[in-house]
Amino acid sequence: MDFSFLNHTVGSGESQTYLGWILSGMGYTALVSVAAYLLALAIGVAIGALRTRTGPLSWAATAVFEFFSSIPLKVQMFFFYFVLPALLAPKFAETASPLTLSLTAAIGALGFFMGCRVSGHIYSAIRALADSQAQAAKALGLSTWQTYSLILIPQAIKNSLPALVNELLSTVKNSSIAGTIGLAELFYQCKRLNEFTAAVYEPFVLVLFGYLIINITLLLIMRSTEKAKLA
Protein backbone atom coordinates (compact mmCIF):
# COMPACT_ATOMS: atom_id res chain seq x y z
CA MET A 1 0.00 0.00 0.00
CA ASP A 2 1.15 3.52 -0.81
CA PHE A 3 0.05 6.41 1.42
CA SER A 4 2.32 9.02 -0.19
CA PHE A 5 -0.74 10.81 -1.64
CA LEU A 6 -1.57 12.08 1.86
CA ASN A 7 0.95 14.91 1.49
CA HIS A 8 -0.38 15.98 -1.90
CA THR A 9 -2.65 19.00 -2.29
CA VAL A 10 -6.26 17.96 -2.80
CA GLY A 11 -7.62 18.01 -6.33
CA SER A 12 -10.76 19.95 -5.44
CA GLY A 13 -8.97 23.31 -5.42
CA GLU A 14 -8.85 23.63 -1.63
CA SER A 15 -5.58 24.72 -0.05
CA GLN A 16 -5.01 21.61 2.05
CA THR A 17 -3.65 18.11 1.72
CA TYR A 18 -5.46 14.78 1.68
CA LEU A 19 -4.17 14.23 5.20
CA GLY A 20 -5.94 17.45 6.11
CA TRP A 21 -9.17 15.94 4.78
CA ILE A 22 -8.77 12.92 7.04
CA LEU A 23 -7.96 15.01 10.12
CA SER A 24 -10.85 17.37 9.36
CA GLY A 25 -13.18 14.39 9.01
CA MET A 26 -12.01 13.00 12.34
CA GLY A 27 -12.64 16.40 13.92
CA TYR A 28 -16.23 16.60 12.66
CA THR A 29 -16.87 12.98 13.65
CA ALA A 30 -15.64 13.63 17.18
CA LEU A 31 -17.58 16.92 17.44
CA VAL A 32 -20.88 15.43 16.26
CA SER A 33 -20.44 12.29 18.36
CA VAL A 34 -19.67 14.07 21.64
CA ALA A 35 -22.35 16.76 21.16
CA ALA A 36 -24.98 14.19 20.14
CA TYR A 37 -24.06 11.94 23.06
CA LEU A 38 -24.42 14.77 25.58
CA LEU A 39 -27.83 15.53 24.08
CA ALA A 40 -28.64 11.80 24.18
CA LEU A 41 -27.78 11.63 27.89
CA ALA A 42 -30.11 14.53 28.69
CA ILE A 43 -32.93 13.10 26.57
CA GLY A 44 -32.33 9.56 27.77
CA VAL A 45 -32.39 10.44 31.46
CA ALA A 46 -35.57 12.52 31.03
CA ILE A 47 -37.44 9.92 28.97
CA GLY A 48 -36.19 6.99 31.04
CA ALA A 49 -37.26 8.62 34.31
CA LEU A 50 -40.66 9.75 32.99
CA ARG A 51 -41.44 6.27 31.66
CA THR A 52 -41.24 4.91 35.20
CA ARG A 53 -44.05 7.26 36.25
CA THR A 54 -47.76 7.17 35.43
CA GLY A 55 -50.03 9.70 33.76
CA PRO A 56 -49.78 12.02 30.72
CA LEU A 57 -46.04 12.74 31.05
CA SER A 58 -45.29 9.03 31.07
CA TRP A 59 -47.50 8.48 28.01
CA ALA A 60 -45.78 11.37 26.19
CA ALA A 61 -42.32 10.00 27.05
CA THR A 62 -43.33 6.54 25.84
CA ALA A 63 -44.68 8.03 22.61
CA VAL A 64 -41.40 9.86 21.97
CA PHE A 65 -39.46 6.69 22.77
CA GLU A 66 -41.52 4.57 20.38
CA PHE A 67 -41.42 7.20 17.63
CA PHE A 68 -37.66 7.70 17.50
CA SER A 69 -36.92 4.03 18.15
CA SER A 70 -39.08 2.86 15.26
CA ILE A 71 -37.65 5.08 12.50
CA PRO A 72 -34.26 4.38 10.85
CA LEU A 73 -31.55 6.89 11.72
CA LYS A 74 -30.97 7.82 8.08
CA VAL A 75 -34.64 8.80 7.69
CA GLN A 76 -34.45 10.89 10.87
CA MET A 77 -31.28 12.55 9.59
CA PHE A 78 -33.04 13.69 6.40
CA PHE A 79 -36.09 14.78 8.42
CA PHE A 80 -33.94 16.94 10.73
CA TYR A 81 -32.07 18.39 7.75
CA PHE A 82 -34.82 19.07 5.20
CA VAL A 83 -38.14 19.19 7.07
CA LEU A 84 -37.70 20.43 10.66
CA PRO A 85 -35.75 23.64 9.86
CA ALA A 86 -38.30 24.60 7.19
CA LEU A 87 -41.19 24.01 9.61
CA LEU A 88 -39.78 25.36 12.88
CA ALA A 89 -37.20 27.94 11.80
CA PRO A 90 -37.64 28.90 8.13
CA LYS A 91 -35.43 31.98 8.46
CA PHE A 92 -32.63 29.87 9.92
CA ALA A 93 -33.06 27.34 7.12
CA GLU A 94 -32.70 30.11 4.52
CA THR A 95 -29.76 31.99 6.04
CA ALA A 96 -27.70 29.27 7.74
CA SER A 97 -24.62 27.96 5.98
CA PRO A 98 -24.73 24.36 4.69
CA LEU A 99 -22.17 23.39 7.35
CA THR A 100 -24.23 24.89 10.20
CA LEU A 101 -27.39 23.26 8.91
CA SER A 102 -25.81 19.82 8.50
CA LEU A 103 -24.09 20.01 11.90
CA THR A 104 -27.32 21.00 13.65
CA ALA A 105 -29.32 18.29 11.89
CA ALA A 106 -26.70 15.60 12.52
CA ILE A 107 -26.40 16.39 16.23
CA GLY A 108 -30.18 16.64 16.66
CA ALA A 109 -31.08 13.45 14.80
CA LEU A 110 -28.27 11.41 16.32
CA GLY A 111 -28.98 12.84 19.78
CA PHE A 112 -32.66 11.88 19.72
CA PHE A 113 -31.97 8.46 18.20
CA MET A 114 -29.30 7.58 20.74
CA GLY A 115 -31.27 9.26 23.52
CA CYS A 116 -34.00 6.66 23.13
CA ARG A 117 -31.40 3.90 23.43
CA VAL A 118 -29.96 5.54 26.54
CA SER A 119 -33.44 5.92 28.01
CA GLY A 120 -33.88 2.15 27.88
CA HIS A 121 -30.87 1.67 30.16
CA ILE A 122 -31.98 4.41 32.55
CA TYR A 123 -35.53 3.04 32.67
CA SER A 124 -34.31 -0.50 33.44
CA ALA A 125 -31.82 0.75 36.04
CA ILE A 126 -34.47 2.77 37.91
CA ARG A 127 -36.90 -0.15 37.79
CA ALA A 128 -34.19 -2.40 39.24
CA LEU A 129 -33.78 -0.21 42.34
CA ALA A 130 -35.58 -1.29 45.49
CA ASP A 131 -38.98 0.34 46.05
CA SER A 132 -37.93 1.03 49.62
CA GLN A 133 -35.61 3.82 48.42
CA ALA A 134 -38.45 5.87 46.95
CA GLN A 135 -40.59 5.12 49.99
CA ALA A 136 -37.84 6.26 52.35
CA ALA A 137 -37.40 9.47 50.35
CA LYS A 138 -41.13 10.13 50.58
CA ALA A 139 -41.04 9.50 54.33
CA LEU A 140 -38.25 12.08 54.64
CA GLY A 141 -40.46 14.65 52.93
CA LEU A 142 -38.63 14.75 49.59
CA SER A 143 -40.66 15.71 46.54
CA THR A 144 -40.87 13.46 43.47
CA TRP A 145 -38.37 15.71 41.67
CA GLN A 146 -35.93 15.53 44.59
CA THR A 147 -36.35 11.77 44.88
CA TYR A 148 -35.45 11.26 41.23
CA SER A 149 -32.72 13.89 40.91
CA LEU A 150 -30.97 13.16 44.24
CA ILE A 151 -31.52 9.42 44.74
CA LEU A 152 -32.89 7.38 41.83
CA ILE A 153 -31.27 8.91 38.73
CA PRO A 154 -27.69 9.12 40.14
CA GLN A 155 -27.86 5.44 41.11
CA ALA A 156 -29.37 4.49 37.77
CA ILE A 157 -26.56 6.26 35.88
CA LYS A 158 -23.91 4.64 38.07
CA ASN A 159 -25.39 1.16 37.64
CA SER A 160 -25.72 1.52 33.87
CA LEU A 161 -22.30 3.10 33.21
CA PRO A 162 -20.92 0.12 31.22
CA ALA A 163 -23.95 0.20 28.94
CA LEU A 164 -23.70 3.99 28.59
CA VAL A 165 -20.06 3.67 27.56
CA ASN A 166 -21.10 1.23 24.83
CA GLU A 167 -23.73 3.71 23.65
CA LEU A 168 -21.03 6.37 23.32
CA LEU A 169 -19.06 4.09 21.02
CA SER A 170 -22.25 3.35 19.07
CA THR A 171 -22.81 7.10 18.70
CA VAL A 172 -19.39 7.46 17.07
CA LYS A 173 -20.13 4.61 14.66
CA ASN A 174 -23.61 5.91 13.81
CA SER A 175 -22.20 9.39 13.10
CA SER A 176 -21.02 8.07 9.71
CA ILE A 177 -24.61 8.50 8.47
CA ALA A 178 -24.18 12.29 8.75
CA GLY A 179 -22.31 12.14 5.46
CA THR A 180 -25.65 11.56 3.71
CA ILE A 181 -26.65 15.17 4.48
CA GLY A 182 -23.33 16.60 3.31
CA LEU A 183 -21.36 16.77 6.55
CA ALA A 184 -17.70 16.07 5.77
CA GLU A 185 -17.18 13.59 8.60
CA LEU A 186 -14.61 10.79 8.49
CA PHE A 187 -16.40 8.29 6.24
CA TYR A 188 -17.48 11.08 3.88
CA GLN A 189 -13.84 12.11 3.51
CA CYS A 190 -12.91 8.50 2.86
CA LYS A 191 -15.25 8.46 -0.15
CA ARG A 192 -13.79 11.76 -1.37
CA LEU A 193 -10.30 10.30 -1.16
CA ASN A 194 -11.51 7.37 -3.21
CA GLU A 195 -12.86 9.72 -5.88
CA PHE A 196 -9.95 12.18 -6.07
CA THR A 197 -7.01 9.76 -5.88
CA ALA A 198 -6.08 6.52 -7.55
CA ALA A 199 -6.02 4.84 -4.15
CA VAL A 200 -8.49 1.98 -3.79
CA TYR A 201 -7.77 0.35 -0.44
CA GLU A 202 -5.78 3.01 1.41
CA PRO A 203 -8.73 5.35 2.17
CA PHE A 204 -10.62 2.53 3.87
CA VAL A 205 -7.58 1.63 5.94
CA LEU A 206 -7.26 5.27 7.00
CA VAL A 207 -10.92 5.57 7.96
CA LEU A 208 -10.73 2.29 9.88
CA PHE A 209 -7.85 3.56 12.00
CA GLY A 210 -9.50 6.98 12.28
CA TYR A 211 -12.58 5.51 13.94
CA LEU A 212 -10.36 3.26 16.05
CA ILE A 213 -8.38 6.23 17.38
CA ILE A 214 -11.52 8.22 18.20
CA ASN A 215 -13.24 5.31 19.94
CA ILE A 216 -10.18 4.25 21.93
CA THR A 217 -9.63 7.86 23.07
CA LEU A 218 -13.25 8.24 24.19
CA LEU A 219 -13.21 4.79 25.77
CA LEU A 220 -10.14 5.64 27.85
CA ILE A 221 -11.75 8.89 28.98
CA MET A 222 -14.97 7.13 29.95
CA ARG A 223 -13.15 4.31 31.73
CA SER A 224 -11.18 6.84 33.76
CA THR A 225 -14.40 8.65 34.65
CA GLU A 226 -16.07 5.36 35.56
CA LYS A 227 -13.20 4.36 37.86
CA ALA A 228 -13.23 7.79 39.51
CA LYS A 229 -16.98 7.56 40.20
CA LEU A 230 -16.79 3.99 41.47
CA ALA A 231 -13.85 4.79 43.75
Side-chain angles (χ1 to χ4, degrees):
M1 289 190 181
D2 182 12
F3 293 94
S4 59
F5 65 88
L6 287 174
N7 293 322
H8 298 167
T9 304
V10 298
S12 62
E14 301 171 60
S15 58
Q16 62 175 321
T17 62
Y18 289 111
L19 177 60
W21 271 7
I22 290 293
L23 295 177
S24 173
M26 289 178 66
Y28 281 123
T29 292
L31 172 62
V32 168
S33 300
V34 172
Y37 185 70
L38 292 176
L39 177 60
L41 282 179
I43 293 171
V45 168
I47 293 178
L50 288 173
R51 286 177 62 207
T52 63
R53 304 292 300 168
T54 56
L57 286 178
S58 176
W59 303 335
T62 301
V64 172
F65 172 80
E66 295 295 342
F67 179 83
F68 285 99
S69 298
S70 303
I71 300 175
L73 177 56
K74 184 180 287 187
V75 175
Q76 294 185 40
M77 198 75 73
F78 279 103
F79 182 78
F80 271 76
Y81 184 73
F82 290 108
V83 181
L84 271 189
L87 291 178
L88 301 181
K91 185 171 290 187
F92 170 76
E94 292 175 5
T95 59
S97 67
L99 176 59
T100 301
L101 201 56
S102 58
L103 268 175
T104 304
I107 292 170
L110 191 56
F112 271 90
F113 181 80
M114 296 306 299
C116 289
R117 292 175 55 120
V118 168
S119 74
H121 301 301
I122 300 298
Y123 172 81
S124 300
I126 292 177
R127 284 293 191 191
L129 296 174
D131 293 337
S132 57
Q133 297 200 35
Q135 294 169 0
K138 186 176 181 180
L140 291 171
L142 296 181
S143 65
T144 301
W145 165 257
Q146 290 173 322
T147 300
Y148 272 84
S149 61
L150 299 177
I151 298 174
L152 301 183
I153 290 176
Q155 290 187 77
I157 292 175
K158 181 178 179 180
N159 293 340
S160 56
L161 262 181
L164 296 180
V165 171
N166 288 334
E167 294 300 346
L168 172 60
L169 303 185
S170 295
T171 303
V172 176
K173 289 179 277 188
N174 286 331
S175 69
S176 61
I177 297 180
T180 59
I181 57 173
L183 183 65
E185 43 75 46
L186 185 54
F187 188 65
Y188 182 91
Q189 297 290 31
C190 168
K191 292 186 289 185
R192 292 178 79 191
L193 279 176
N194 216 230
E195 294 170 2
F196 280 88
T197 69
V200 178
Y201 307 109
E202 290 85 346
F204 296 100
V205 174
L206 290 169
V207 78
L208 184 150
F209 280 99
Y211 280 112
L212 192 63
I213 290 169
I214 293 171
N215 268 338
I216 288 178
T217 302
L218 293 175
L219 183 61
L220 290 174
I221 293 172
M222 291 298 289
R223 293 300 185 199
S224 300
T225 304
E226 185 179 347
K227 288 179 180 179
K229 288 191 175 184
L230 292 176

